[in-house]
Short mmCIF file of all heavy atoms in Angstrom, two decimals:
data_model
loop_
_atom_site.label_atom_id
_atom_site.label_comp_id
_atom_site.label_asym_id
_atom_site.label_seq_id
_atom_site.Cartn_x
_atom_site.Cartn_y
_atom_site.Cartn_z
N GLY A 163 96.61 87.37 100.63
CA GLY A 163 95.33 87.63 99.95
C GLY A 163 95.29 89.09 99.56
O GLY A 163 95.98 89.92 100.15
N THR A 164 94.49 89.41 98.54
CA THR A 164 94.43 90.82 98.14
C THR A 164 93.06 91.14 97.56
O THR A 164 92.40 90.28 96.98
CB THR A 164 95.55 91.15 97.11
OG1 THR A 164 95.52 92.54 96.82
CG2 THR A 164 95.40 90.38 95.82
N PHE A 165 92.64 92.39 97.77
CA PHE A 165 91.47 92.90 97.07
C PHE A 165 91.95 93.54 95.77
O PHE A 165 92.87 94.36 95.79
CB PHE A 165 90.76 93.98 97.90
CG PHE A 165 89.89 93.44 99.00
CD1 PHE A 165 90.27 93.57 100.33
CD2 PHE A 165 88.69 92.82 98.70
CE1 PHE A 165 89.47 93.10 101.34
CE2 PHE A 165 87.87 92.35 99.72
CZ PHE A 165 88.26 92.48 101.05
N ILE A 166 91.34 93.16 94.66
CA ILE A 166 91.69 93.77 93.37
C ILE A 166 90.48 94.57 92.89
O ILE A 166 89.38 94.04 92.81
CB ILE A 166 92.05 92.70 92.32
CG1 ILE A 166 93.26 91.88 92.79
CG2 ILE A 166 92.34 93.34 90.96
CD1 ILE A 166 93.60 90.71 91.88
N SER A 167 90.70 95.84 92.62
CA SER A 167 89.60 96.70 92.15
C SER A 167 90.02 97.33 90.83
O SER A 167 90.76 98.29 90.79
CB SER A 167 89.30 97.77 93.20
OG SER A 167 88.43 98.75 92.68
N GLY A 168 89.56 96.74 89.76
CA GLY A 168 89.85 97.29 88.43
C GLY A 168 91.25 96.97 87.95
O GLY A 168 92.02 96.30 88.64
N PRO A 169 91.59 97.42 86.73
CA PRO A 169 92.94 97.22 86.22
C PRO A 169 93.93 98.08 87.01
O PRO A 169 93.53 99.02 87.68
CB PRO A 169 92.84 97.68 84.77
CG PRO A 169 91.72 98.65 84.75
CD PRO A 169 90.75 98.20 85.81
N SER A 170 95.22 97.75 86.88
CA SER A 170 96.26 98.52 87.56
C SER A 170 96.23 99.97 87.09
O SER A 170 96.05 100.24 85.91
CB SER A 170 97.60 97.88 87.23
OG SER A 170 98.63 98.79 87.44
N LYS A 171 96.36 100.88 88.05
CA LYS A 171 96.38 102.30 87.65
C LYS A 171 97.05 103.13 88.72
O LYS A 171 97.21 102.69 89.86
CB LYS A 171 94.97 102.81 87.38
CG LYS A 171 94.01 102.65 88.54
CD LYS A 171 92.60 102.84 88.06
CE LYS A 171 91.53 102.06 88.79
NZ LYS A 171 91.82 100.76 89.31
N THR A 172 97.46 104.32 88.36
CA THR A 172 98.03 105.23 89.34
C THR A 172 97.65 106.66 88.98
O THR A 172 97.51 106.98 87.81
CB THR A 172 99.56 105.09 89.43
OG1 THR A 172 100.03 106.01 90.42
CG2 THR A 172 100.24 105.41 88.11
N ALA A 173 97.47 107.48 90.00
CA ALA A 173 97.26 108.92 89.78
C ALA A 173 98.19 109.67 90.71
O ALA A 173 97.96 110.81 91.06
CB ALA A 173 95.80 109.30 90.01
N ASP A 174 99.29 109.01 91.11
CA ASP A 174 100.22 109.61 92.05
C ASP A 174 100.97 110.79 91.45
O ASP A 174 101.36 111.71 92.14
CB ASP A 174 101.24 108.57 92.53
CG ASP A 174 100.72 107.82 93.75
OD1 ASP A 174 99.63 108.20 94.23
OD2 ASP A 174 101.37 106.88 94.20
N ILE A 175 101.22 110.73 90.13
CA ILE A 175 102.00 111.79 89.52
C ILE A 175 101.07 112.88 89.00
O ILE A 175 100.31 112.66 88.06
CB ILE A 175 102.87 111.23 88.36
CG1 ILE A 175 103.60 109.96 88.78
CG2 ILE A 175 103.83 112.29 87.85
CD1 ILE A 175 104.58 110.11 89.91
N GLU A 176 101.13 114.03 89.62
CA GLU A 176 100.35 115.19 89.21
C GLU A 176 98.86 114.90 89.10
O GLU A 176 98.15 115.53 88.33
CB GLU A 176 100.88 115.77 87.89
CG GLU A 176 102.34 116.17 88.01
CD GLU A 176 102.65 117.46 87.30
OE1 GLU A 176 102.04 117.71 86.26
OE2 GLU A 176 103.47 118.23 87.82
N GLN A 177 98.38 113.91 89.86
CA GLN A 177 96.96 113.57 89.91
C GLN A 177 96.37 113.26 88.54
O GLN A 177 95.19 113.48 88.29
CB GLN A 177 96.16 114.69 90.57
CG GLN A 177 96.60 114.90 92.01
CD GLN A 177 95.87 116.05 92.67
OE1 GLN A 177 95.40 116.95 92.01
NE2 GLN A 177 95.81 116.02 93.97
N SER A 178 97.20 112.79 87.60
CA SER A 178 96.63 112.41 86.31
C SER A 178 96.62 110.89 86.23
O SER A 178 97.61 110.23 86.51
CB SER A 178 97.40 113.05 85.15
OG SER A 178 98.50 112.28 84.82
N LEU A 179 95.45 110.36 85.88
CA LEU A 179 95.23 108.92 85.96
C LEU A 179 95.82 108.18 84.76
O LEU A 179 95.57 108.56 83.62
CB LEU A 179 93.72 108.66 86.05
CG LEU A 179 93.29 107.20 86.20
CD1 LEU A 179 93.72 106.66 87.56
CD2 LEU A 179 91.78 107.08 86.04
N VAL A 180 96.62 107.15 85.06
CA VAL A 180 97.19 106.31 84.01
C VAL A 180 96.71 104.89 84.28
O VAL A 180 96.88 104.37 85.38
CB VAL A 180 98.73 106.34 84.06
CG1 VAL A 180 99.32 105.39 83.03
CG2 VAL A 180 99.24 107.75 83.84
N ILE A 181 96.07 104.25 83.30
CA ILE A 181 95.62 102.87 83.49
C ILE A 181 96.66 101.92 82.92
O ILE A 181 97.13 102.10 81.80
CB ILE A 181 94.24 102.66 82.83
CG1 ILE A 181 93.22 103.51 83.59
CG2 ILE A 181 93.84 101.19 82.83
CD1 ILE A 181 91.78 103.22 83.32
N GLY A 182 97.03 100.91 83.73
CA GLY A 182 98.09 99.97 83.36
C GLY A 182 99.42 100.47 83.88
O GLY A 182 100.23 101.00 83.14
N ALA A 183 99.63 100.36 85.18
CA ALA A 183 100.85 100.92 85.79
C ALA A 183 101.78 99.81 86.28
O ALA A 183 102.79 99.54 85.65
CB ALA A 183 100.50 101.87 86.91
N HIS A 184 101.44 99.16 87.37
CA HIS A 184 102.33 98.11 87.88
C HIS A 184 101.69 96.73 87.80
O HIS A 184 102.18 95.78 88.36
CB HIS A 184 102.75 98.35 89.34
CG HIS A 184 102.44 99.71 89.86
ND1 HIS A 184 101.17 100.12 90.15
CD2 HIS A 184 103.25 100.76 90.11
CE1 HIS A 184 101.20 101.36 90.59
NE2 HIS A 184 102.44 101.79 90.57
N GLY A 185 100.56 96.62 87.12
CA GLY A 185 99.88 95.32 87.06
C GLY A 185 99.16 95.17 85.74
O GLY A 185 99.60 95.69 84.72
N ALA A 186 98.02 94.48 85.78
CA ALA A 186 97.31 94.17 84.54
C ALA A 186 96.77 95.43 83.87
O ALA A 186 96.32 96.36 84.52
CB ALA A 186 96.17 93.20 84.83
N ARG A 187 96.83 95.43 82.53
CA ARG A 187 96.41 96.61 81.76
C ARG A 187 94.90 96.68 81.58
O ARG A 187 94.36 97.71 81.22
CB ARG A 187 97.09 96.58 80.38
CG ARG A 187 98.56 96.92 80.49
CD ARG A 187 99.36 96.22 79.41
NE ARG A 187 98.99 96.69 78.08
CZ ARG A 187 99.67 96.38 76.98
NH1 ARG A 187 100.75 95.61 77.08
NH2 ARG A 187 99.30 96.80 75.82
N SER A 188 94.22 95.54 81.77
CA SER A 188 92.77 95.58 81.71
C SER A 188 92.21 94.50 82.63
O SER A 188 92.91 93.54 82.97
CB SER A 188 92.27 95.37 80.28
OG SER A 188 92.36 94.00 79.94
N LEU A 189 90.98 94.70 83.06
CA LEU A 189 90.31 93.70 83.88
C LEU A 189 88.89 93.50 83.37
O LEU A 189 88.12 94.46 83.26
CB LEU A 189 90.28 94.13 85.35
CG LEU A 189 89.45 93.22 86.27
CD1 LEU A 189 90.10 91.86 86.43
CD2 LEU A 189 89.24 93.87 87.63
N VAL A 190 88.57 92.26 83.03
CA VAL A 190 87.19 91.91 82.68
C VAL A 190 86.69 90.95 83.75
O VAL A 190 87.39 89.99 84.10
CB VAL A 190 87.10 91.26 81.28
CG1 VAL A 190 85.65 90.86 80.98
CG2 VAL A 190 87.62 92.21 80.21
#
Side-chain angles (χ1 to χ4, degrees):
Chain A
T164 184
F165 281 108
I166 300 174
S167 170
S170 159
K171 57 195 149 326
T172 180
D174 272 355
I175 313 298
E176 302 220 325
Q177 298 177 336
S178 84
L179 183 67
V180 176
I181 294 194
H184 347 72
R187 287 149 65 170
S188 76
L189 173 68
V190 178

